[in-house]
Amino acid sequence: MKRILFILVLPLLVFGAVDVSQMAGTQAKDEVTETRVNSQKTNSMGENPAEKNEDIEIKLEESFVRVFGEHLFNGNFTQFKQHIYNPDYKLAIGDRVNVKIWGAVDFSSTLVVDSQGNIFIPMVGAINLLGVKNSALVKVITRSINKVYKSNVFVYADLDIYQNISVFVTGNVNKPGLYEGLSSDSIIQYIDKAAGINLEYGSFRDIQILRNNQVVKKVDLYDFLLDGKMELFPFRAGDVILVGSVQDYVFVKGDVQKPFRFELGNTIHNLSDIAKVAGVKPIVTNAVVRSHRQDRQLLVSAYDKKQFAEVKLYAGDEVEFRPDYVAENININIEGEHNGLRSIVVRKGTTLADVAKMIVANNQSDINALQVFRKSVAMMQQELISAQLKELETLALTSSSVNAEQAAIRATQARTILEFIERAKQVEPKGQIVIDDVRTYASVVLEDGDRINVPNKNNLVIVQGEVSIPGAFVYTNAKDLKYYIELAGGYSNRADIARVLVINNSGKASKYNGRWNYAAIKAGDSILVLPKVDTQNLQVFGMLTQILYQIAIATNVVLKM
């Protein structure tokens, strides 16, 4: 009896029995790499013109922790100014004041505070407004006018344009400095001018406004982020905004709307608080908390949703919210050539043999070649391909060159490889489980969401990849690999004749040397001719070949180089 094989291409590309437990533990690790490949053309005189340099700068995907509030400071707040009445604003030289007088005398004008701090009103004279608070503006002007006009005179005055003030923004921001704005601008606008809070060590909850070296206000931006609350503060020239360091925080992941790093504080103390802030989904039933205590002990605890309010959070805790339902039944989808239901619900533990008996077959159903596709297998295949692509990207961009000519060739090859990597990232593995013998149906235990495909009893052979005329050809008994390659017009100039894949309906893949191996072909088989890998770097060659195999087997498609 033959074993059941998962279609997974391991680094050694072994087609055969695979230990599923080892595959389940395989994970693609993120690599943080930034590499530049330079190709410089040098002329015979040793000159190195800058305009002839060819640069390739690639940043691989960085792995980082997402921080709650990271979207707040993106430059949008720096584009706007808000002219809001500020009663504490003190008039300065250059301010423009709208003055209206009516009654015994009519006067209306916009007056500018001159270099001596005065405005001048005809028949009244100079009125000193330097340092006068906005709230006292009308009172000061009225008092001066009443010295000339004793009665029946009414006065109205307001600031036409506020002068910019300068505010220091410092602490844990990306660009500390002195920034101009209006006194009525919000603290968010000033921090945005400083390129926002440093996400690595800056705090969104510990922000202070200092005036004359004294703290006059404390700000918690979580009030704005969570509830939209923002208390406007009248700034003065010379004020200091000090962003503190992040102190106690927890990490949240799982079935939540906001999987971020959150700072603990007055509004976040326990699991119930963080569940509300992170927006747990309705399906959540429990939480797993990994807590790093000061005694160097790692505590891992699970809590029911009813216990959330009783569980206190500590700095550095990792919280995962998740559903934990015990299902007795699973849902299976049945596709392909049959006359029965397309979706069935069966008991957990049901095998492929059990479901095969439920399928209503017709004359075209190949019930002895059932195909099973599984999401978890597709994810493993995707992770393996992604890991190989990361390694290939690093190899392509870090290859050394002995001279300028070789550097130019390497740079061109690197571009080609990077284009290939981008296309390879878009592939979607099928996640097929290889079942090479109908007698193994009874040992295939189905999982929720599995797709079972009933193949058609077709008499076709698919030939694709590097051949002259890819297509589907009628199966002819006792004909071999060479026969179908010739039907497809023979190998193309880019074909890697030594590496030809034949994939059966069952998903089993076999590798052949197309120069002399005349393998027998069965109805329903797919013949995949892979492209040549053109590179002098043996490591890159091996990695590219490996990836082409992986993609071909996982998707049943040849990816062009």
Side-chain angles (χ1 to χ4, degrees):
M1 183 178 294
K2 297 185 180 180
R3 299 179 62 183
I4 303 168
L5 311 181
F6 286 94
I7 304 180
L8 290 172
V9 184
L10 297 180
L12 295 179
L13 196 64
V14 178
F15 294 97
V18 180
D19 188 337
V20 179
S21 63
Q22 290 180 356
M23 290 190 300
T26 303
Q27 295 183 348
K29 297 182 180 178
D30 289 337
E31 298 178 8
V32 182
T33 309
E34 182 177 346
T35 312
R36 176 176 290 181
V37 176
N38 296 322
S39 171
Q40 298 179 342
K41 299 180 180 179
T42 308
N43 61 25
S44 59
M45 299 299 293
E47 296 175 346
N48 186 20
E51 62 272 14
K52 293 185 179 181
N53 290 354
E54 297 183 19
D55 294 337
I56 301 175
E57 184 172 346
I58 301 296
K59 269 192 176 181
L60 300 185
E61 182 179 355
E62 297 185 357
S63 175
F64 61 92
V65 176
R66 298 187 65 189
V67 177
F68 180 62
E70 63 182 29
H71 63 287
L72 185 58
F73 300 107
N74 52 21
N76 287 339
F77 291 107
T78 62
Q79 308 301 320
F80 303 97
K81 292 184 178 181
Q82 48 188 14
H83 296 270
I84 299 176
Y85 174 71
N86 181 1
D88 294 324
Y89 175 78
K90 293 183 178 180
L91 273 73
I93 294 171
D95 281 346
R96 294 168 58 180
V97 182
N98 294 320
V99 179
K100 299 182 185 298
I101 306 174
W102 69 96
V105 62
D106 287 330
F107 177 81
S108 178
S109 181
T110 298
L111 307 175
V112 179
V113 179
D114 63 23
S115 59
Q116 298 183 29
N118 299 323
I119 61 171
F120 185 84
I121 298 178
M123 307 301 296
V124 175
I127 303 176
N128 189 277
L129 296 180
L130 185 63
V132 172
K133 283 188 175 183
N134 198 8
S135 59
L137 178 61
V138 175
K139 182 179 179 180
V140 171
I141 295 176
T142 301
R143 186 168 56 242
S144 297
I145 291 176
N146 285 341
K147 292 179 181 179
V148 178
Y149 301 98
K150 301 298 183 180
S151 62
N152 197 27
V153 173
F154 304 93
V155 178
Y156 173 79
D158 74 316
L159 272 174
D160 181 58
I161 295 178
Y162 288 89
Q163 290 293 313
N164 282 339
I165 61 171
S166 296
V167 173
F168 294 93
V169 184
T170 186
N172 297 295
V173 292
N174 291 308
K175 291 184 178 180
L178 182 64
Y179 295 94
E180 282 193 347
L182 298 175
S183 64
S184 54
D185 286 347
S186 72
I187 190 171
I188 293 178
Q189 288 172 280
Y190 281 108
I191 295 178
D192 204 17
K193 293 175 190 288
I197 295 173
N198 186 288
L199 297 179
E200 184 177 354
Y201 43 78
S203 173
F204 283 76
R205 310 204 70 171
D206 179 20
I207 304 174
Q208 299 177 344
I209 300 175
L210 288 77
R211 181 172 294 163
N212 298 325
N213 297 324
Q214 300 293 323
V215 177
V216 294
K217 188 173 182 60
K218 294 183 177 181
V219 178
D220 183 349
L221 287 182
Y222 272 34
D223 293 338
F224 177 74
L225 289 167
L226 295 173
D227 302 317
K229 297 179 180 178
M230 172 58 65
E231 182 181 348
L232 296 179
F233 177 83
F235 284 96
R236 296 181 185 174
D239 282 352
V240 176
I241 298 173
L242 177 63
V243 177
S245 301
V246 62
Q247 299 295 328
D248 298 338
Y249 52 81
V250 296
F251 303 94
V252 178
K253 63 180 181 178
D255 286 295
V256 295
Q257 297 171 356
K258 305 167 188 172
F260 298 126
R261 185 192 77 188
F262 291 89
E263 296 181 54
L264 299 177
N266 294 332
T267 56
I268 304 176
H269 299 283
N270 53 47
L271 267 181
S272 181
D273 297 333
I274 199 68
K276 181 180 178 181
V277 170
V280 296
K281 298 178 181 178
I283 60 174
V284 168
T285 60
N286 60 54
V288 175
V289 180
R290 295 168 56 89
S291 188
H292 304 266
R293 300 298 173 86
Q294 294 182 352
D295 56 2
R296 301 177 63 184
Q297 295 293 318
L298 174 62
L299 301 180
V300 182
S301 305
Y303 300 98
D304 186 84
K305 195 172 185 178
K306 298 177 182 178
Q307 300 173 286
F308 284 3
E310 304 169 4
V311 182
K312 183 180 179 181
L313 294 175
Y314 296 90
D317 281 358
E318 300 171 17
V319 183
E320 180 180 1
F321 292 99
R322 61 190 187 188
D324 189 13
Y325 296 99
V326 179
E328 296 182 355
N329 299 325
I330 59 175
N331 184 68
I332 304 297
N333 297 307
I334 304 176
E335 304 171 349
E337 187 62 47
H338 69 100
N339 296 333
L341 296 174
R342 299 290 166 175
S343 179
I344 61 173
V345 176
V346 297
R347 299 282 297 180
K348 183 181 289 186
T350 298
T351 67
L352 182 59
D354 298 328
V355 173
K357 297 175 184 178
M358 304 178 191
I359 295 174
V360 182
N362 57 41
N363 293 334
Q364 293 302 312
S365 303
D366 191 352
I367 205 70
N368 294 322
L370 295 181
Q371 300 168 331
V372 178
F373 301 93
R374 183 166 292 171
K375 291 180 180 178
S376 59
V377 176
M379 291 176 62
M380 290 182 190
Q381 291 174 330
Q382 186 68 66
E383 288 176 357
L384 287 172
I385 292 172
S386 296
Q388 294 286 340
L389 289 175
K390 286 180 180 292
E391 188 173 348
L392 173 63
E393 192 169 21
T394 302
L395 285 174
L397 297 176
T398 57
S399 299
S400 59
S401 305
V402 296
N403 53 49
E405 182 179 358
Q406 191 180 68
I409 295 173
R410 300 251 183 205
T412 302
Q413 290 180 342
R415 289 192 185 92
T416 303
I417 292 172
L418 292 177
E419 292 173 359
F420 167 79
I421 289 173
E422 288 305 312
R423 286 184 283 115
K425 288 179 180 179
Q426 307 304 317
V427 302
E428 297 183 2
K430 294 182 177 181
Q432 184 176 1
I433 300 173
V434 178
I435 307 171
D436 197 28
D437 195 317
V438 67
R439 292 171 295 179
T440 61
Y441 283 6
S443 59
V444 181
V445 179
L446 299 174
E447 294 183 3
D448 185 58
D450 278 355
R451 291 187 300 113
I452 299 175
N453 183 61
V454 184
N456 188 301
K457 288 181 179 178
N458 69 65
N459 60 342
L460 298 178
V461 174
I462 307 298
V463 183
Q464 61 169 306
E466 296 298 336
V467 290
S468 298
I469 313 171
F473 304 94
V474 176
Y475 170 73
T476 303
N477 190 29
K479 294 298 183 179
D480 55 22
L481 175 62
K482 181 180 179 181
Y483 171 78
Y484 293 102
I485 293 294
E486 290 176 350
L487 283 181
Y491 296 109
S492 70
N493 293 331
R494 290 181 45 80
D496 188 349
I497 301 175
R499 296 176 175 84
V500 179
L501 287 176
V502 176
I503 301 180
N504 305 137
N505 251 346
S506 66
K508 180 181 178 181
S510 303
K511 181 175 68 173
Y512 297 99
N513 188 323
R515 289 190 179 94
W516 56 75
N517 196 314
Y518 300 152
I521 303 297
K522 297 181 295 185
D525 283 356
S526 292
I527 300 172
L528 282 68
V529 181
L530 301 182
K532 288 179 181 178
V533 175
D534 185 17
T535 177
Q536 298 178 353
N537 188 313
L538 292 180
Q539 284 184 300
V540 173
F541 173 84
M543 190 63 64
L544 268 172
T545 304
Q546 180 74 19
I547 293 171
L548 287 170
Y549 277 136
Q550 288 180 350
I551 292 174
I553 295 172
T555 65
N556 209 6
V557 172
V558 176
L559 191 65
K560 299 287 186 179
M561 277 293 297

